Amino acid sequence: MIKHLDLGDTNFARSRKLKQLIDAGEIKFGGYMKSKIYGLLKCPAGKRMKMGNRIFFISEEEALQAGYRPCSRCMKEAYLK
């Protein structure tokens, strides 16, 4: 689990580090800390959240173990289960 704000001191540094982690396969899902929802990085709902509320996961298992539930918008099948 990686909090967005922990990726660097500036927005530029955070963006660079985030891209590196995504390219390396170390981040595959994003989550919203306030409501404990996780989803795909390309989800339109996830892109609107503030950096301070954003968290990243390497796998669905990691998100589920942290108590997060799937997004109803981008992960419809997992959400319905």
Side-chain angles (χ1 to χ4, degrees):
M1 223 173 3
I2 302 168
K3 291 182 181 179
H4 197 156
L5 292 178
D6 291 345
L7 293 175
D9 295 334
T10 65
N11 285 342
F12 179 74
R14 285 184 203 109
S15 295
R16 249 181 113 175
K17 182 66 175 173
L18 180 59
K19 183 175 178 355
Q20 290 171 348
L21 292 170
I22 291 169
D23 290 347
E26 295 180 40
I27 289 178
K28 295 185 180 173
F29 297 93
Y32 182 57
M33 290 190 295
K34 287 188 173 189
S35 59
K36 297 202 126 200
I37 297 171
Y38 77 95
L40 303 175
L41 296 175
K42 65 181 180 179
C43 181
K47 289 182 177 181
R48 291 192 306 257
M49 73 180 83
K50 295 179 182 178
M51 277 189 235
N53 297 324
R54 192 176 291 145
I55 193 160
F56 298 104
F57 302 99
I58 192 168
S59 67
E60 287 188 74
E61 293 79 23
E62 182 182 31
L64 292 169
Q65 287 175 355
Y68 284 68
R69 66 173 176 81
C71 174
S72 64
R73 187 167 183 178
C74 66
M75 301 186 73
K76 193 80 162 174
E77 287 183 33
Y79 173 78
L80 292 173
K81 289 180 186 181

